[in-house]
Each structure stands twice: as C-alpha cells, then as structure tokens.
Amino acid sequence: MSEGAYQRLWDSSHLILQELLDQEQPLLQPVPEQERQSSQYRLSSLYLYYLGLLRRFDTLYDQMVQPQKRRLLRRLLDGVAGRVLELKDDLVRADLCETHCLDQVLQDLTLTPADLEVPIPKYFLLEQSSALRDQEHMLAEILSRLEPVYSKGRFPVLHRTEAIILLQSAERARQGRLRATFMREIRKEEERDRKIQEEGQNQFNEDEAAVTVQKVWKGYLQRKRTRQDRRTEMEFIGMLPSPNQVEHLGIMSQASLGEEVRRLRQLEKEEEFQLAMVKTYDSLRETEGPYIKEKMMEQIRQWFIECHALTGRFPDYPDESSGGSYLIFADKTPEQVKMELEVQVQESKKKDQEKSKGKEKGKKEKKKKKGKEAKARKREADTTLKVSPSKSIPVINAGHEEYTNLWKNRYESLHPNQSFDSETLQVEKRKEVEQEIRIQVDELMRQELKNLRLAVDREEGRPSKAPKKKAGKKTGKKKEKDLTSDRSMDSLFEELIGFGVLKKSETVALKDYVGDCLYLGSALNLANKLPMPSLFDVRQNVALYGVLRLGSPDIHSMAPLIRSILLVGPSGVGKRMLVKAVCTETGANLFDLSPENLQGKYPGKTGVQMLVHIVFKVARYLQPSVIWIGNAEKNFYKRVPKEDKEDPCEAERGHVLRELEARMMSVCPLPTSPPSPEQMDPKRIKKDLTKALRQLNPGDRVMLIGTTDQPQVAEMKGLCRTYERVLLVPRPDYASRYVLWKHMIEARGGQMTQKLDISALAKVSDGYTPGCILQAVHAALTEQRLLRLSKRPLVASEFLGHLAKLEPVHREEEESLKDWYFKTPLGKRRMELSKDQDAAEQAKLAKEKKKRK
C-alpha cells in the first residue's frame, strides 16, 4: 500500500471513531435489570467496533513513515486498546461470565468470526527487540558462568526407577536400530530375487507387448484426465485451493519485504525528527526566549498594578499546583482572577464547616440506618448494571481532536518524502519553551511581589498555610521493607537464575494455540443453558488479560488493574503453552514459583520471605514479568496429602517424566541431603505471596499466572482471593478439534487429501485434549511415513490406533471442574442470575396462561 492508501485508511477510521464517541455517553448511566440485555448488546457491538479500530490503528502505526503522525497514532492505538480492555471488564460484569456469546451480534453487524480475533500490536516486540537481545545475552553469560560451578564434582542424582527407565529406553533404541538394519537387508534380497524371476518369466511377443503398453498408457491418460476434471470441479465449488499458491507466496514475500523497507524508512525519519526537535528547541530558546520572558513579566506587573488599584492591596500569587502564572495568561481580567481565588478559599471553608456538622449528626443517624442502607445498596447493586468511568476516552478524544485540527485536511503533496512538518514542530516546541520560562518567571515575580508589599503597603508576605493532616484511618498501602537494600540487582538476578527460579521461556506464538469459536452460544443462552468456552475464547481472554496489559505501560495504566489470573482445566489442554505464549508476545521474563521447583530451596520462614521479596523486586525491575505457579492448588491445600510431605524421590514415582524434565531444565543441582518437612510444605509461600500481590501498583507490569487441573482440593476462599480472574480451559469441542487435526497434520508435514476424513477424526476424538491429538499426530507421521506420502496418501485410520492408547478426559472430570467453577464468586452470581431469569420466564408464562383462560 502507498502512503496515500494509508492516509485514506486513517480518514475512514476516524469517521468510525467519531460515531463510537457519540455512542459512549449513554453507557455512563446505571442500567436497571430490565434493560440488562439491551445494555449487553450495546456493549458487545462497541467492543467489536473498537476491536476493528485497534486492528486498523495497529496497521497504520506499523506502516506510517511520517514521525509526527506516528506519535499521534501511538496515542490513539494505546487509547483504543485501553478502551477494549475497559469494555471487556464491563462485559464481564454484564454477562457475569468470562466468555461472551457474540455470534448473534456478529451476524447483525455483518462481521465474520475473524473480526473477533484480538490483534496484538506489533510494536510490543519490535520496539524492545534490542533490550530482549541484551537480556538473552546476559542470561546466557550467567548460565555459562554458573554451569561449571554447579557441575564441578557433581553428578545427577537419579532414583533407581528413573535410571532403569533410561537404560531400558537406550537398550530398546539400540535393538530397534539393529532390527531395522537386518530387515532392510532382507527386503533388498527379496526385491533382488523377485526381479530375477520376473525377467525370466515375462517374455511377450511384439503384439502382446504393444497391447500391454497401450493399455497402461491409455489407462494412465484417462486417470490423469479424471483427476484433473475432479480437481477443476472442486476448485470451482471452493472445496480445494487454487493452483496459484506459488504466485501467492511470491506476492506475500514481496509484501513482507515492502513492510521491512518501510520500517527502515521509519528509523531514518525518526532520527531526523529527533535532531530537528533539539535544534528547534535551542533556536526558539535563544531567539524568542528573552522576548517571551520580558512579555510575561510585563503582564504580571500590569496585573499587580490593576489589582492594587481595585482592592487597595496586592493580590496573592497563584501556587504552582493551581497553575501559577498560567491563570494570569488565560485571557482573564484581574477581577476574574481575584474572584476565582476567593471562591476557592470560601469553598474550602464551607467544606470544613459541613464536615464538622455532619460528623456530629451522622454518628447518631449512621447507627440506625446502617443496616437498612447496606441492604438497599446490595439490592441496588444486584439489580443495576453500573459502567465504570473510562480513563481511555479522554485520550481518544484528545487524539481525535488533534487529528481533526492538524492532519485531516493536510495534503501529502506538501511532504512527498514523508518528512516532519516544521511549522507543527515549532508550535509544539514553543509551548515547551514557554512552560520552562514560566517557571523561572514565577520564582522571580514572587520575590518581586514580596518586595512591593514591603515597599508600598509596609506588609510582609502572607505565608500560605500548610494543609492540615486529617486525623483518622490511614489510607494507602504500607511500604514494603527492602530486605535486600545492601545487594545489587545483578547479584539478585544471578541468584534467581542459579536456583532455577528465573528461566528462559520457550518461543511460542499465541496464534499457535489453535481453536475455533462457538457458533451457537446465543442459541444456548436463549435456551438458558450455559455454554462451555471454546479454545478460541480462551485464547482471546489470555490476549486481553495477559498480553495487552503487559505489552505497553500506557495501556496498563488505562486498563482496569488485574494482577493475577488462574487457568483451570484438565491436563493436556495447553495451560502451560498459554503462559509461554504470554511471555513470547510481550517479551516478559518468566519466574517459576511452582511447588515442585521450590523444593529444598530457601528453607525456613525467613527464606520464604526473602524468596518472594527477591522475585517481586527483580520482576518489577525487569518488567514486563510473568510469575508462573504450576499446580497452583498445592499452595492452598485444604489438607496437605501425605505424598507431598515425604521425600520427593519416594513420593514422585508416579510422575517420573515430569520430575525428570524439571531436573533437566533446572540450573541449580538437587540437594544431596533430603529436604525437611518444612521445606516440602507447598503452602509455605501462600501468606507472603498474597502480601506481595497487594503491593503491586497500577504501574507495575507484573502478572501472576497460576495453572491447575485439580482446583477442588484447594481452599476456595484463599484461591479466589489470590487470583482475581479464573479462566476455565475445557476440552475442545467439535469445531476446535476439526481445526486442531488439520493444523497439526499440516504443521507436521502431512497433506490434506480427499482420502483423509478430518471430520471423522474430529468426531472420534471427542473427549481428547489437544495434547493427546498432538501425540497421535507425531506418532503416526514418522519420517518414513512422510517420505511415502506421495505414493500412499494419509487416511484417518492411521491415527486411531495411536489415539486409542491415550487416556481421554472423562465426562465426570469435566463436570467436576464445571461444578467447581460455579462455586467461584463470579460463577455463583451467574447461577443466581440464571435462576432469576428462569423464575421471571415462568411467571410470564403463568400470566399468559391466566389471560388465555
């Protein structure tokens, strides 16, 4: 696309944005229970429109070259992303559910399911690529320095069962290689013997040989024509892709190359703009600075004289907090400025008097009406839907006004090479110069006003009274005591790497978490059946709660504060993959506080405090950061099982593979002596973890993500208090299984043919998780099988044998997780809402029956 095309896209985006801003005002009013459904529909439509704008502004910011436009687009992009997160929070309060059935809204707005995808801004990783490379080099350097220290004189300590498994796997592999070599030689000998026999038996005369050749050749030609006709028919009805894939790939590669060239031009223009900003600021300060300073001082002196002539005394100089001399330059007369200052003083006095009177009367009335008011508020909260005030709408409004005033009617012919606009730059820098000079002038004029009072009125300066501190309850958070004030950040960073707490996350894109959306959600809601979320919904929630919030500090400051999320689902649904995807998409550091990873590390009460303190301190310093806790239910056990208190070498025999992987990934060696019961207690981190979470401020891009497959064994109150959002990750439905089979087979190197019935595989694999499907695909599509695909295409039966060896998720396990979810605070409210809707419908039906009678 050319620059003019991007400009037209920007213009059309602002037309949509203007319509959305006009629709925002009615949403700020509380909505009664009777209008809940209409309010949900308005919120859903706004949410989808803002998602489309987010996609547009991301493309514009990524491809626009002009530096001043890109700055405005960045503010608009962050504001729209913040508004999307605010609307998501409002939808959760409206639906009382983390997943929303938007299929009917999509149909009404003539949108496709692809418009539901949450776009991840490209600048999240592009703008911090150098910082990510530096962190990777630092991590590799520390690991290489620590490896000889920890491995010197040490050998991996393995349990007897684990050692036997390793030996058995090595021996079986050796025997398999020998058997394969032996069978290959036998096949070669058999093939050689068969060729010799065929050469001796098959002796034809010339006529028979000619007929045989003709038959084979005509049969080949006919089969080729039939296949070609069949393919043409399938392409015509849209069941097969067109044969122009090579041409399509060439076009895509050229487009990607053009995008990279535009990004290089962006860097060049940005460097030019940075130099121009410095030069313009310095030149304005030298040429116009003295004149601006003298003009300000003359205006303030004139204001002193006029106020003295009117009131007989010199006025009080405005404080810096109220704007300083900016109030004088705001096109106001001395009388108006004086009136404003007097009104502010009178209002503060009235407030103090009303508070003192209200306290005396309120003490008696509060005791009587406390219970009634609490009940009334609770009823009102339950029956009304309140939309929280938006922090992002003022940012979007300011950006939209700037576009309208500066760039709407600006023609590209003025700047064909996409350089900066010098006039706009001078206006911006002149404001900065005036702001800097105003602060200097205020200091000088305050001293001059003091001298005038002494000389004319014989009056000393009236000192401003310091505001009195209000007595009562202390508000705000207590400052956390720094337990490592005497240590450098590098030493803490190195310590966490050495103990295996700070790890390098695997590169996993969020789009690789494949799944399809729920197409019949609205129909199920009308039937008063609560639909389970699809894998597509889970991916969108992780993008909204994790990726967008951690990717940008500006978006994080505008979005509703969420410090932690909990992913609940059976084993194999991809919970750990989602954690890695959040780290990959945002460039976040991964801290592992799983109970299995902390066994034998940081013993005692002080050790746990030190661990949590160091982790959160380093996480704030290296933000964005993700603190992951696997098997999060163990931190909140109702009753700690016996196996979690014993020696891990004896207790973890059933989980050999998982433990072996954890040991191989860990940098720190296992302790030679068995850990004490206190070190083995998985609940020891619970108290300090909750305290550390409360200390996270809105500016801290640190997210706690827990994963669990057995939340039933945990204490519900403590778990839901620590994790603010609970996301249910169920087994995939039919649509998601269909997409999963197709994606995984193609990713492995398989080919989609008519003989491979993906629909049958999706039906047969009901109950199996994405992990099971992936294992079946890898087991069936070996290297030898991939080499024979051209001669023998894939069929569905090849995967069934491998799939049957795996354990599916039974209906009872899924129902147990679903029942647990509806015991969470949000699940309880959802169940109460559905019961109220059932009662209302039954009452409505009863009234209709009475009317008929």
Side-chain angles (χ1 to χ4, degrees), residues 442-474:
D442 285 350
E443 294 179 359
L444 295 173
M445 298 310 294
R446 283 192 183 95
Q447 186 63 35
E448 186 172 333
L449 178 61
K450 185 178 180 181
N451 297 335
L452 283 172
R453 282 175 176 163
L454 289 173
V456 179
D457 297 339
R458 305 292 181 182
E459 177 187 2
E460 295 184 358
R462 296 187 289 272
S464 58
K465 295 182 180 180
K468 296 181 180 179
K469 295 183 178 179
K470 296 181 181 180
K473 295 183 180 179
K474 295 182 180 179

mmCIF file of all heavy atoms in Angstrom, residues 442-474:
data_model
loop_
_atom_site.group_PDB
_atom_site.id
_atom_site.type_symbol
_atom_site.label_atom_id
_atom_site.label_comp_id
_atom_site.label_asym_id
_atom_site.label_seq_id
_atom_site.Cartn_x
_atom_site.Cartn_y
_atom_site.Cartn_z
ATOM 1 N N ASP A 442 7.891 32.810 37.419
ATOM 2 C CA ASP A 442 7.110 32.727 38.655
ATOM 3 C C ASP A 442 7.994 32.912 39.882
ATOM 4 O O ASP A 442 7.618 33.608 40.838
ATOM 5 C CB ASP A 442 6.398 31.374 38.728
ATOM 6 C CG ASP A 442 5.208 31.311 37.793
ATOM 7 O OD1 ASP A 442 4.837 32.369 37.244
ATOM 8 O OD2 ASP A 442 4.661 30.209 37.594
ATOM 9 N N GLU A 443 9.179 32.310 39.874
ATOM 10 C CA GLU A 443 10.084 32.479 41.019
ATOM 11 C C GLU A 443 10.528 33.925 41.169
ATOM 12 O O GLU A 443 10.571 34.470 42.285
ATOM 13 C CB GLU A 443 11.299 31.565 40.834
ATOM 14 C CG GLU A 443 10.960 30.076 40.882
ATOM 15 C CD GLU A 443 12.182 29.212 40.660
ATOM 16 O OE1 GLU A 443 13.276 29.794 40.454
ATOM 17 O OE2 GLU A 443 12.060 27.972 40.683
ATOM 18 N N LEU A 444 10.842 34.563 40.040
ATOM 19 C CA LEU A 444 11.277 35.965 40.101
ATOM 20 C C LEU A 444 10.153 36.894 40.549
ATOM 21 O O LEU A 444 10.351 37.798 41.384
ATOM 22 C CB LEU A 444 11.800 36.404 38.733
ATOM 23 C CG LEU A 444 13.075 35.704 38.231
ATOM 24 C CD1 LEU A 444 13.370 36.130 36.800
ATOM 25 C CD2 LEU A 444 14.260 36.041 39.130
ATOM 26 N N MET A 445 8.937 36.674 40.019
ATOM 27 C CA MET A 445 7.833 37.579 40.313
ATOM 28 C C MET A 445 7.293 37.380 41.735
ATOM 29 O O MET A 445 6.741 38.311 42.320
ATOM 30 C CB MET A 445 6.712 37.392 39.292
ATOM 31 C CG MET A 445 7.128 37.719 37.864
ATOM 32 S SD MET A 445 7.959 39.320 37.697
ATOM 33 C CE MET A 445 6.661 40.467 38.124
ATOM 34 N N ARG A 446 7.427 36.208 42.292
ATOM 35 C CA ARG A 446 7.035 36.029 43.703
ATOM 36 C C ARG A 446 7.936 36.869 44.604
ATOM 37 O O ARG A 446 7.464 37.498 45.566
ATOM 38 C CB ARG A 446 7.120 34.547 44.075
ATOM 39 C CG ARG A 446 5.981 33.693 43.570
ATOM 40 C CD ARG A 446 5.969 32.323 44.218
ATOM 41 N NE ARG A 446 4.897 31.483 43.662
ATOM 42 C CZ ARG A 446 5.040 30.625 42.675
ATOM 43 N NH1 ARG A 446 6.260 30.466 42.131
ATOM 44 N NH2 ARG A 446 4.031 29.920 42.227
ATOM 45 N N GLN A 447 9.223 36.883 44.307
ATOM 46 C CA GLN A 447 10.140 37.709 45.087
ATOM 47 C C GLN A 447 9.865 39.191 44.863
ATOM 48 O O GLN A 447 9.910 40.001 45.799
ATOM 49 C CB GLN A 447 11.588 37.367 44.684
ATOM 50 C CG GLN A 447 12.648 38.059 45.517
ATOM 51 C CD GLN A 447 12.587 37.660 46.979
ATOM 52 O OE1 GLN A 447 12.279 36.518 47.303
ATOM 53 N NE2 GLN A 447 12.864 38.605 47.870
ATOM 54 N N GLU A 448 9.555 39.561 43.617
ATOM 55 C CA GLU A 448 9.249 40.969 43.335
ATOM 56 C C GLU A 448 7.965 41.401 44.037
ATOM 57 O O GLU A 448 7.867 42.536 44.540
ATOM 58 C CB GLU A 448 9.118 41.156 41.827
ATOM 59 C CG GLU A 448 8.951 42.608 41.408
ATOM 60 C CD GLU A 448 9.018 42.782 39.905
ATOM 61 O OE1 GLU A 448 9.664 41.953 39.240
ATOM 62 O OE2 GLU A 448 8.432 43.771 39.422
ATOM 63 N N LEU A 449 6.950 40.522 44.108
ATOM 64 C CA LEU A 449 5.711 40.841 44.806
ATOM 65 C C LEU A 449 5.970 41.042 46.299
ATOM 66 O O LEU A 449 5.393 41.942 46.934
ATOM 67 C CB LEU A 449 4.694 39.708 44.590
ATOM 68 C CG LEU A 449 3.349 39.856 45.296
ATOM 69 C CD1 LEU A 449 2.615 41.115 44.813
ATOM 70 C CD2 LEU A 449 2.485 38.631 45.055
ATOM 71 N N LYS A 450 6.849 40.237 46.850
ATOM 72 C CA LYS A 450 7.195 40.392 48.272
ATOM 73 C C LYS A 450 7.857 41.737 48.521
ATOM 74 O O LYS A 450 7.549 42.442 49.504
ATOM 75 C CB LYS A 450 8.117 39.247 48.676
ATOM 76 C CG LYS A 450 8.463 39.206 50.149
ATOM 77 C CD LYS A 450 9.345 37.993 50.449
ATOM 78 C CE LYS A 450 9.705 37.947 51.922
ATOM 79 N NZ LYS A 450 10.591 36.782 52.229
ATOM 80 N N ASN A 451 8.757 42.158 47.620
ATOM 81 C CA ASN A 451 9.417 43.460 47.767
ATOM 82 C C ASN A 451 8.429 44.610 47.609
ATOM 83 O O ASN A 451 8.530 45.637 48.309
ATOM 84 C CB ASN A 451 10.534 43.581 46.733
ATOM 85 C CG ASN A 451 11.624 42.544 46.953
ATOM 86 O OD1 ASN A 451 11.817 42.055 48.076
ATOM 87 N ND2 ASN A 451 12.344 42.191 45.887
ATOM 88 N N LEU A 452 7.452 44.464 46.678
ATOM 89 C CA LEU A 452 6.445 45.521 46.502
ATOM 90 C C LEU A 452 5.592 45.696 47.750
ATOM 91 O O LEU A 452 5.253 46.827 48.144
ATOM 92 C CB LEU A 452 5.566 45.176 45.301
ATOM 93 C CG LEU A 452 6.162 45.434 43.912
ATOM 94 C CD1 LEU A 452 5.262 44.877 42.836
ATOM 95 C CD2 LEU A 452 6.384 46.920 43.700
ATOM 96 N N ARG A 453 5.226 44.605 48.387
ATOM 97 C CA ARG A 453 4.415 44.704 49.614
ATOM 98 C C ARG A 453 5.177 45.415 50.722
ATOM 99 O O ARG A 453 4.602 46.212 51.463
ATOM 100 C CB ARG A 453 4.008 43.304 50.069
ATOM 101 C CG ARG A 453 2.873 42.716 49.271
ATOM 102 C CD ARG A 453 2.611 41.293 49.681
ATOM 103 N NE ARG A 453 1.457 40.732 48.983
ATOM 104 C CZ ARG A 453 1.193 39.449 48.894
ATOM 105 N NH1 ARG A 453 2.003 38.568 49.468
ATOM 106 N NH2 ARG A 453 0.130 39.031 48.228
ATOM 107 N N LEU A 454 6.462 45.110 50.834
ATOM 108 C CA LEU A 454 7.257 45.778 51.863
ATOM 109 C C LEU A 454 7.432 47.268 51.568
ATOM 110 O O LEU A 454 7.402 48.104 52.477
ATOM 111 C CB LEU A 454 8.624 45.097 51.966
ATOM 112 C CG LEU A 454 8.647 43.700 52.583
ATOM 113 C CD1 LEU A 454 10.034 43.085 52.455
ATOM 114 C CD2 LEU A 454 8.250 43.776 54.059
ATOM 115 N N ALA A 455 7.587 47.576 50.271
ATOM 116 C CA ALA A 455 7.864 48.970 49.923
ATOM 117 C C ALA A 455 6.601 49.822 49.908
ATOM 118 O O ALA A 455 6.609 50.971 50.361
ATOM 119 C CB ALA A 455 8.530 49.027 48.549
ATOM 120 N N VAL A 456 5.477 49.304 49.424
ATOM 121 C CA VAL A 456 4.258 50.109 49.248
ATOM 122 C C VAL A 456 3.324 49.970 50.447
ATOM 123 O O VAL A 456 2.908 50.962 51.056
ATOM 124 C CB VAL A 456 3.535 49.705 47.951
ATOM 125 C CG1 VAL A 456 2.254 50.518 47.765
ATOM 126 C CG2 VAL A 456 4.455 49.903 46.748
ATOM 127 N N ASP A 457 2.965 48.757 50.815
ATOM 128 C CA ASP A 457 1.976 48.534 51.867
ATOM 129 C C ASP A 457 2.592 48.330 53.244
ATOM 130 O O ASP A 457 1.863 48.165 54.227
ATOM 131 C CB ASP A 457 1.113 47.300 51.530
ATOM 132 C CG ASP A 457 0.322 47.497 50.258
ATOM 133 O OD1 ASP A 457 0.125 48.671 49.885
ATOM 134 O OD2 ASP A 457 -0.089 46.484 49.647
ATOM 135 N N ARG A 458 3.919 48.295 53.330
ATOM 136 C CA ARG A 458 4.619 48.001 54.583
ATOM 137 C C ARG A 458 4.127 46.680 55.177
ATOM 138 O O ARG A 458 3.969 46.523 56.380
ATOM 139 C CB ARG A 458 4.419 49.120 55.609
ATOM 140 C CG ARG A 458 4.799 50.480 55.119
ATOM 141 C CD ARG A 458 6.294 50.581 54.921
ATOM 142 N NE ARG A 458 6.702 51.909 54.464
ATOM 143 C CZ ARG A 458 7.955 52.235 54.178
ATOM 144 N NH1 ARG A 458 8.896 51.328 54.317
ATOM 145 N NH2 ARG A 458 8.243 53.442 53.748
ATOM 146 N N GLU A 459 3.882 45.730 54.303
ATOM 147 C CA GLU A 459 3.295 44.453 54.731
ATOM 148 C C GLU A 459 4.222 43.334 54.304
ATOM 149 O O GLU A 459 4.689 43.294 53.179
ATOM 150 C CB GLU A 459 1.922 44.254 54.058
ATOM 151 C CG GLU A 459 1.269 42.919 54.385
ATOM 152 C CD GLU A 459 0.009 42.711 53.569
ATOM 153 O OE1 GLU A 459 -0.290 43.587 52.747
ATOM 154 O OE2 GLU A 459 -0.627 41.666 53.747
ATOM 155 N N GLU A 460 4.487 42.458 55.226
ATOM 156 C CA GLU A 460 5.294 41.310 54.891
ATOM 157 C C GLU A 460 4.452 40.293 54.108
ATOM 158 O O GLU A 460 3.232 40.295 54.183
ATOM 159 C CB GLU A 460 5.849 40.648 56.150
ATOM 160 C CG GLU A 460 6.823 41.546 56.897
ATOM 161 C CD GLU A 460 7.424 40.833 58.089
ATOM 162 O OE1 GLU A 460 7.036 39.682 58.328
ATOM 163 O OE2 GLU A 460 8.267 41.436 58.768
ATOM 164 N N GLY A 461 5.138 39.450 53.413
ATOM 165 C CA GLY A 461 4.432 38.444 52.600
ATOM 166 C C GLY A 461 3.582 37.528 53.447
ATOM 167 O O GLY A 461 3.994 37.095 54.531
ATOM 168 N N ARG A 462 2.361 37.283 52.993
ATOM 169 C CA ARG A 462 1.467 36.386 53.721
ATOM 170 C C ARG A 462 1.844 34.950 53.407
ATOM 171 O O ARG A 462 1.667 34.501 52.270
ATOM 172 C CB ARG A 462 0.010 36.654 53.309
ATOM 173 C CG ARG A 462 -0.466 38.043 53.686
ATOM 174 C CD ARG A 462 -1.954 38.200 53.408
ATOM 175 N NE ARG A 462 -2.249 38.243 51.993
ATOM 176 C CZ ARG A 462 -2.237 39.372 51.272
ATOM 177 N NH1 ARG A 462 -1.917 40.524 51.832
ATOM 178 N NH2 ARG A 462 -2.516 39.331 49.991
ATOM 179 N N PRO A 463 2.358 34.263 54.387
ATOM 180 C CA PRO A 463 2.755 32.866 54.099
ATOM 181 C C PRO A 463 1.530 31.999 53.931
ATOM 182 O O PRO A 463 0.538 32.138 54.635
ATOM 183 C CB PRO A 463 3.550 32.454 55.350
ATOM 184 C CG PRO A 463 3.020 33.325 56.435
ATOM 185 C CD PRO A 463 2.618 34.621 55.793
ATOM 186 N N SER A 464 1.622 31.110 52.970
ATOM 187 C CA SER A 464 0.497 30.195 52.745
ATOM 188 C C SER A 464 0.498 29.137 53.823
ATOM 189 O O SER A 464 1.526 28.563 54.165
ATOM 190 C CB SER A 464 0.620 29.517 51.366
ATOM 191 O OG SER A 464 1.846 28.834 51.291
ATOM 192 N N LYS A 465 -0.697 28.864 54.367
ATOM 193 C CA LYS A 465 -0.834 27.890 55.436
ATOM 194 C C LYS A 465 -0.719 26.483 54.865
ATOM 195 O O LYS A 465 -1.314 26.164 53.848
ATOM 196 C CB LYS A 465 -2.187 28.043 56.130
ATOM 197 C CG LYS A 465 -2.325 29.367 56.849
ATOM 198 C CD LYS A 465 -3.667 29.447 57.559
ATOM 199 C CE LYS A 465 -3.815 30.782 58.282
ATOM 200 N NZ LYS A 465 -5.116 30.869 58.965
ATOM 201 N N ALA A 466 0.031 25.696 55.570
ATOM 202 C CA ALA A 466 0.160 24.293 55.141
ATOM 203 C C ALA A 466 -1.128 23.563 55.433
ATOM 204 O O ALA A 466 -1.754 23.786 56.475
ATOM 205 C CB ALA A 466 1.323 23.623 55.879
ATOM 206 N N PRO A 467 -1.590 22.724 54.557
ATOM 207 C CA PRO A 467 -2.838 21.997 54.809
ATOM 208 C C PRO A 467 -2.696 21.058 55.997
ATOM 209 O O PRO A 467 -1.685 20.388 56.181
ATOM 210 C CB PRO A 467 -3.049 21.206 53.508
ATOM 211 C CG PRO A 467 -1.694 21.118 52.891
ATOM 212 C CD PRO A 467 -0.969 22.357 53.287
ATOM 213 N N LYS A 468 -3.762 21.045 56.810
ATOM 214 C CA LYS A 468 -3.747 20.196 57.998
ATOM 215 C C LYS A 468 -3.937 18.746 57.594
ATOM 216 O O LYS A 468 -4.701 18.424 56.703
ATOM 217 C CB LYS A 468 -4.863 20.603 58.954
ATOM 218 C CG LYS A 468 -4.683 22.000 59.507
ATOM 219 C CD LYS A 468 -5.821 22.329 60.475
ATOM 220 C CE LYS A 468 -5.659 23.727 61.043
ATOM 221 N NZ LYS A 468 -6.764 24.058 61.972
ATOM 222 N N LYS A 469 -3.250 17.894 58.316
ATOM 223 C CA LYS A 469 -3.395 16.464 58.081
ATOM 224 C C LYS A 469 -4.660 15.966 58.728
ATOM 225 O O LYS A 469 -4.938 16.283 59.882
ATOM 226 C CB LYS A 469 -2.187 15.701 58.645
ATOM 227 C CG LYS A 469 -0.898 16.039 57.922
ATOM 228 C CD LYS A 469 0.249 15.200 58.475
ATOM 229 C CE LYS A 469 1.541 15.505 57.728
ATOM 230 N NZ LYS A 469 2.670 14.714 58.259
ATOM 231 N N LYS A 470 -5.426 15.237 57.990
ATOM 232 C CA LYS A 470 -6.687 14.719 58.514
ATOM 233 C C LYS A 470 -6.410 13.549 59.451
ATOM 234 O O LYS A 470 -5.665 12.638 59.139
ATOM 235 C CB LYS A 470 -7.579 14.245 57.367
ATOM 236 C CG LYS A 470 -7.982 15.383 56.446
ATOM 237 C CD LYS A 470 -8.880 14.860 55.347
ATOM 238 C CE LYS A 470 -9.280 15.991 54.408
ATOM 239 N NZ LYS A 470 -10.148 15.498 53.327
ATOM 240 N N ALA A 471 -7.041 13.612 60.588
ATOM 241 C CA ALA A 471 -6.916 12.515 61.536
ATOM 242 C C ALA A 471 -7.930 11.446 61.208
ATOM 243 O O ALA A 471 -9.028 11.729 60.753
ATOM 244 C CB ALA A 471 -7.139 13.021 62.963
ATOM 245 N N GLY A 472 -7.580 10.259 61.476
ATOM 246 C CA GLY A 472 -8.490 9.152 61.193
ATOM 247 C C GLY A 472 -7.736 7.961 60.690
ATOM 248 O O GLY A 472 -6.551 7.770 60.991
ATOM 249 N N LYS A 473 -8.438 7.143 59.936
ATOM 250 C CA LYS A 473 -7.812 5.929 59.439
ATOM 251 C C LYS A 473 -6.774 6.259 58.381
ATOM 252 O O LYS A 473 -6.951 7.133 57.557
ATOM 253 C CB LYS A 473 -8.873 4.998 58.827
ATOM 254 C CG LYS A 473 -9.866 4.483 59.845
ATOM 255 C CD LYS A 473 -10.833 3.527 59.168
ATOM 256 C CE LYS A 473 -11.841 2.979 60.162
ATOM 257 N NZ LYS A 473 -12.796 2.065 59.523
ATOM 258 N N LYS A 474 -5.685 5.526 58.423
ATOM 259 C CA LYS A 474 -4.626 5.694 57.449
ATOM 260 C C LYS A 474 -5.028 5.000 56.153
ATOM 261 O O LYS A 474 -5.473 3.877 56.172
ATOM 262 C CB LYS A 474 -3.317 5.098 57.964
ATOM 263 C CG LYS A 474 -2.774 5.831 59.186
ATOM 264 C CD LYS A 474 -1.459 5.217 59.618
ATOM 265 C CE LYS A 474 -0.891 5.938 60.834
ATOM 266 N NZ LYS A 474 0.391 5.330 61.276
#
